[in-house]
Amino acid sequence: VSAGYGSPEGPDDGRGRDTGRALTVGVAGFVLVHLLALIALAEPSLPELAGVEALALVALVGGDAATTGDGRAAVLVGVTVLAALGAVGVALASAEPWVVAVGVLAVAGGTLAGLGWYDRVVAGGRSA
Amino acid sequence: MYPTRRAVTAGLAAAALTGLGVLLARPVLLYAAGGLLAWLVVAAASLLRATRRLDRRLSVDQRIDPSTVVTDEPTTVTLRASLGEPSTASLRIRASPPVAARSDASVAPSTPERSDEGQEVSRSARTMALPAGETDATTTFTTRVGVAGRHRFGEPTVEVSGARGLFRTARRGDRGPTLTVEPRAPRNVHVGTGGEEVATAFGEHEAGRLGSGLDPAELREYHPGDAAGRIDWKATARLSTPYVREFEAETDRTTALLFDHRASTATGREGERKLDFLREVALAFLASARALDDPLGCYAVGDGGTTAVHPPGTTATAYSAVRTTLEGLEPTRRVGESEPGRGHPGRSPADARRAATALADDGSAFARRLGPLLEESDPYIDRIAGDPVFATARTRLTRLRGTTWTVLLTDDSHPREVRETVKLARRGSGHALVFLAPTVLFEPGGLADLEAAYGRYREFEEFRRGLAALDRVRAFEVAPGDRIGALLTHRRRRPSDAATGTEVSP
């Protein structure tokens, strides 16, 4: 492949100006399913909730697979998101919603920060 | 690792869903937030994993050809990347030319990094993409550096983007090659006749007779009357008869450099003008005279007259003064020609003196600022109306006593004057060495039409031969070796010249 002038430069130019959509189809579908459930189901039962989450998960994993074209990565995403949903459900059963909310944000934020630190400090990553 | 706008949007959406879930007491929104955040974490971890694999399998090679150029000459940069196996991440690899590098307008495409197009290698010219699934990529661009020195290319930047476009990170490759940029100055100075280079060092000379000196010349048998101190005892012991050793006698030779730095010597590219080449020859004479302790004088002539006079001398100060003068010479403007950027003819020295006198009693800030400039108004030692080289030779060289070697450094723009000056210089027992810069070999684009250029060179050569035919005169051409080589190659490829015997030959 001879790249260079006029060659594709990917979905993002590295400075926040996406050439693609800000949200992928999968994420949009995932959020949309939850918003519809919010409107349609005032007090969802456990089976209803499981159905909603299953539908949202399919939307997210399907969209992810369509974006990456990588089936194995989609499976990994599905398993991880499913585990996260399960963890949230378990947490909600034993704690106040605001505690769960803070916990979710803290765990996700901390994990992302940890990955970023590892990339910069250990793996030698730097700003482009 | 840094998030893209897409990741930031997804994170904000998750935060908003979390807040709404708490405010509305609707746990379903917390599920949505948890799922989104998990997806982001997976994306970040996947990119990190892919990048770690790239670190081991990506090879980025940055080459330049040629690696040594003169200022503003192009060099081709080739950036090549290869992966051991396809990756899910997409890469953008950007070369890091030196800060002083500029893009070549004929090669570099659009999208400059800054608005001043052409002042910097454009981003797209030095960037190549290696999309996910591909294993090789190459890009080539041309760059020029206008500052002499050694310029090290920086590490190419490898930007890695995840397949989902959520995060990116970057790595630096190995240090790049070093580009050596040499200043434009006369190189490959050709001094010769008819395209043939002369090998004799400038200014070396012998007296042509034997006597006392330092360089051994020959042995001869001892004759009564020879000083005992001249007996070579080793030779005597070896040959069983007294022998004396003769030495090459050395003489002082007065050399006068007559340096023409009129406007016509400005022909040529910056640093490679006629004047620059002639200066190299003059400096060689200076070095030779200094080594041999020969008296050396120097007379510089501009369009308006004599600009520098250094009578022959053998002191270190005298040599140093000549060197300073030679190194500082620049082509003068033609008489009546305005200074670049000015719309009116130059002020005459008389006008300048009158103005300086008028301002002498003026204490204003304007007068104080202008006064020093007017004092420096006259750089000429002698103002000469016409044929300044000849006039300088007549007024200055004829005053020198004894045998003088006049070294005239000029071009072929004033043939009649040069011929008359040479005749004047060889009067009596004087010798003349003439170094001529042929205009055709200095004009930018002068060799575009080799046929026409060769014709002009032949005219020059006839002029040079005419000078060399004079008694006690030697005439040489001074030119860039590569350009005269191109002309000679052209000559060799023309069978018609060889057949008619009209080609230039030494």
Side-chain angles (χ1 to χ4, degrees):
Chain A
V1 173
S2 180
Y5 310 146
S7 59
E9 293 197 340
D12 190 285
D13 71 350
R15 284 176 290 187
R17 293 197 296 259
D18 291 359
T19 54
R21 286 180 291 273
L23 284 176
T24 61
V25 175
V27 172
F30 184 78
V31 174
L32 191 63
V33 168
H34 282 95
L35 291 177
L36 288 175
L38 179 71
I39 296 167
L41 305 171
E43 292 288 339
S45 62
L46 194 59
E48 286 172 336
L49 192 60
V52 167
E53 295 305 333
L55 192 59
L57 188 62
V58 167
L60 184 61
V61 172
D64 195 73
T67 303
T68 62
D70 186 351
R72 284 168 54 189
V75 170
L76 179 66
V77 167
V79 170
T80 309
V81 173
L82 190 61
L85 294 174
V88 170
V90 170
L92 282 172
S94 57
E96 291 294 317
W98 70 268
V99 175
V100 175
V102 171
V104 165
L105 291 175
V107 169
T111 307
L112 289 172
L115 290 172
W117 175 87
Y118 179 84
D119 179 57
R120 283 192 304 278
V121 177
V122 180
R126 57 182 65 206
S127 142
Chain B
M1 191 184 313
Y2 298 88
T4 65
R5 195 183 74 162
R6 180 176 291 174
V8 171
T9 306
L12 289 175
L17 290 170
T18 308
L20 275 175
V22 173
L23 286 174
L24 301 176
R26 300 297 295 273
V28 69
L29 294 180
L30 294 180
Y31 286 103
L36 267 184
L37 290 171
W39 178 67
L40 285 175
V41 169
V42 170
S46 297
L47 175 62
L48 192 57
R49 182 166 170 269
T51 307
R52 295 286 286 169
R53 295 178 74 175
L54 283 174
D55 288 342
R56 294 190 294 271
R57 291 172 182 158
L58 177 65
S59 159
V60 179
D61 185 31
Q62 200 175 193
R63 291 171 188 267
I64 54 174
D65 183 39
S67 59
T68 300
V69 294
V70 296
T71 51
D72 286 326
E73 260 193 4
T75 187
T76 303
V77 184
T78 302
L79 189 64
R80 182 174 290 114
S82 64
L83 265 173
E85 62 181 37
S87 170
T88 56
S90 58
L91 310 183
R92 284 200 312 162
I93 301 158
R94 189 168 67 243
S96 302
V99 176
R102 291 180 292 121
S103 62
D104 189 338
S106 63
V107 176
S110 56
T111 326
E113 274 187 13
R114 300 191 318 220
S115 57
D116 47 347
E117 187 170 2
Q119 293 303 305
E120 186 173 313
V121 177
S122 63
R123 175 182 280 265
S124 58
R126 57 185 166 105
T127 303
M128 65 179 178
L130 186 59
E134 303 287 354
T135 55
D136 293 289
T138 304
T139 188
T140 302
F141 62 93
T142 306
T143 187
R144 297 166 191 264
V145 177
V147 182
R150 288 169 61 82
H151 299 269
R152 188 83 186 255
F153 277 64
E155 306 100 331
T157 302
V158 181
E159 189 181 320
V160 188
S161 297
R164 300 171 182 85
L166 291 170
F167 295 95
R168 67 180 183 280
T169 185
R171 297 285 188 271
R172 289 286 170 89
D174 296 330
R175 289 282 285 180
T178 298
L179 176 65
T180 303
V181 181
E182 296 177 346
R184 285 194 182 276
R187 288 183 191 77
N188 193 10
V189 179
H190 164 90
V191 178
T193 56
E196 297 293 327
E197 195 152 2
V198 292
T200 311
F202 303 126
E204 286 185 359
H205 59 90
E206 292 171 347
R209 58 186 171 79
L210 301 179
S212 60
L214 293 174
D215 295 329
E218 63 177 25
L219 289 170
R220 66 167 173 78
E221 278 196 60
Y222 175 82
H223 295 301
D226 286 337
R230 295 179 62 191
I231 295 175
D232 186 319
W233 294 108
K234 286 184 180 176
T236 301
R238 199 166 53 243
L239 301 169
S240 305
T241 340
Y243 269 79
V244 297
R245 183 172 290 279
E246 294 281 15
F247 290 85
E248 180 71 35
E250 292 175 352
T251 62
D252 290 341
R253 187 171 78 186
T254 301
T255 304
L257 299 177
L258 189 55
F259 199 108
D260 177 3
H261 65 112
R262 285 179 284 185
S264 60
T265 60
T267 307
R269 292 189 299 182
E270 186 61 35
E272 297 172 358
R273 304 165 297 182
K274 289 180 197 171
L275 179 100
D276 300 310
F277 276 73
L278 293 172
R279 188 189 346 250
E280 291 296 311
V281 176
L283 288 172
F285 266 101
L286 172 64
S288 175
R290 190 166 198 160
L292 297 168
D293 276 337
D294 278 346
L296 182 84
C298 178
Y299 305 89
V301 185
D303 285 88
T306 313
T307 58
V309 171
H310 297 285
T314 53
T315 63
T317 311
Y319 292 132
S320 178
V322 171
R323 168 172 282 275
T324 303
T325 296
L326 289 173
E327 289 176 341
L329 287 178
E330 284 297 317
T332 55
R333 291 190 302 278
R334 289 186 175 82
V335 176
E337 188 177 87
S338 64
E339 200 170 328
R342 288 189 181 179
H344 56 83
R347 184 187 295 273
S348 73
D351 290 340
R353 275 191 289 272
R354 272 195 294 275
T357 306
L359 290 174
D361 299 326
D362 190 341
S364 68
F366 174 75
R368 284 200 302 275
R369 179 64 61 88
L370 209 58
L373 300 176
L374 292 169
E375 285 170 9
E376 300 293 330
S377 61
D378 191 357
Y380 286 104
I381 295 169
D382 292 331
R383 282 271 178 188
I384 299 168
D387 296 347
V389 172
F390 176 76
T392 301
R394 191 180 57 199
T395 56
R396 299 286 177 176
L397 299 184
T398 50
R399 295 179 193 171
L400 302 177
R401 293 177 181 171
T403 301
T404 303
W405 287 69
T406 302
V407 180
L408 174 59
L409 302 120
T410 184
D411 64 354
D412 57 350
S413 301
H414 311 86
R416 183 191 56 79
E417 185 187 8
V418 170
R419 194 175 290 111
E420 294 305 313
T421 306
V422 168
K423 287 178 181 175
L424 181 72
R426 72 188 183 101
R427 279 199 314 195
S429 57
H431 292 71
L433 287 172
V434 189
F435 291 89
L436 295 164
T439 303
V440 64
L441 293 176
F442 286 88
E443 286 174 338
L447 299 187
D449 181 356
L450 278 173
E451 195 65 33
Y454 183 62
R456 292 175 63 192
Y457 178 69
R458 272 186 9 194
E459 289 175 16
F460 164 83
E461 179 60 13
E462 284 174 16
F463 170 56
R464 188 199 64 76
R465 285 184 185 183
L467 289 177
L470 296 172
D471 196 24
R472 296 192 307 281
V473 177
R474 297 180 71 190
F476 303 94
E477 67 205 354
V478 180
D482 53 341
R483 300 198 117 205
I484 202 164
L487 265 189
L488 294 179
T489 305
H490 175 68
R491 177 191 69 176
R492 281 193 285 271
R493 288 176 183 165
R494 283 181 45 175
S496 59
D497 274 353
T500 57
T502 56
E503 82 268 36
V504 175
S505 60

